[in-house]
Structure formats: C-alpha cells, structure tokens
C-alpha cells in the first residue's frame, strides 16, 4: 500500500524509532552469541535468521511476510486442537 507521505519524510519521522529497534535486535543477538550452549539445531534461531534476511530484501510486504514466517498454518479445528471453547459456550 503506497503511503501518502514522501519517503524522505517517513525517514525523517521514523529514523530514530527504527534505529532503536535495530539496536535492540543487535543487542539480543549479541546476548545469544554470548550465551552458553549451541543454537544450530534450534528452529527458533533459524526463524530469526530468516526474518533478518527477509528484512534486507527489496520485496514489498515485509511485515506480512514476517507475520507469516512466525505464524502457524491455519487449522480449521484449531479450537478443538488447542482446547479452546467457543465464545457462545459451545
């Protein structure tokens, strides 16, 4: 969806926010690196790496693709599978 604001204006308005979030991610990755143990077989670590690579590509819809990356496949019977009742009590 195109923005009504010019890209330079968006950058002016959001640069500090984006910078802070990138620094937060970098700090978290540094903590993972300093932690004891191995993450090579950890699927969540692989997802994080995929997410970072996705952020760097030039394709549109990064937020949607990130959401899908971290989401489960839709299951029509998810309420039963997760033991969640319906709002109407059934």
């Amino acid at each position: 969806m195109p923005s009504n604001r010019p890209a330079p204006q968006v950058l002016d308005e959001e640069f500090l926010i984006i910078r802070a979030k990138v620094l937060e991610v970098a700090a978290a990755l540094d903590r993972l690196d300093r932690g004891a143990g191995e993450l090579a077989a950890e699927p969540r670590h692989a997802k994080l790496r995929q997410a970072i690579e996705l952020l760097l590509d030039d394709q549109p819809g990064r937020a949607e693709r990130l959401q899908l990356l971290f989401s489960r496949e839709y299951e029509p019977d998810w309420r039963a599978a997760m033991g969640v009742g319906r709002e109407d009590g059934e």
Side-chain angles (χ1 to χ4, degrees):
M1 170 187 312
S3 171
N4 293 333
R5 298 180 297 165
Q9 180 184 349
V10 174
L11 183 62
D12 285 345
E13 293 172 0
E14 298 190 19
F15 176 77
L16 292 176
I17 295 167
I18 295 168
R19 182 184 76 166
K21 292 179 180 181
V22 170
L23 284 169
E24 188 174 329
V25 170
L29 293 174
D30 285 347
R31 287 192 296 275
L32 287 173
D33 288 346
R34 289 190 303 265
E38 184 63 39
L39 295 173
E42 172 58 61
R44 294 174 299 173
H45 189 251
K47 287 271 186 180
L48 290 173
R49 294 188 68 84
Q50 282 181 273
I52 292 166
E53 290 171 7
L54 191 153
L55 290 175
L56 295 175
D57 76 25
D58 292 331
Q59 301 301 312
R62 290 181 191 90
E64 179 181 355
R65 290 184 289 132
L66 271 179
Q67 182 66 42
L68 291 171
L69 177 67
F70 289 113
S71 297
R72 296 177 180 196
E73 292 287 325
Y74 178 74
E75 297 177 27
D77 64 340
W78 68 270
R79 287 184 185 275
M82 299 187 84
V84 177
R86 294 174 47 142
E87 290 182 13
D88 58 8
E90 293 185 26

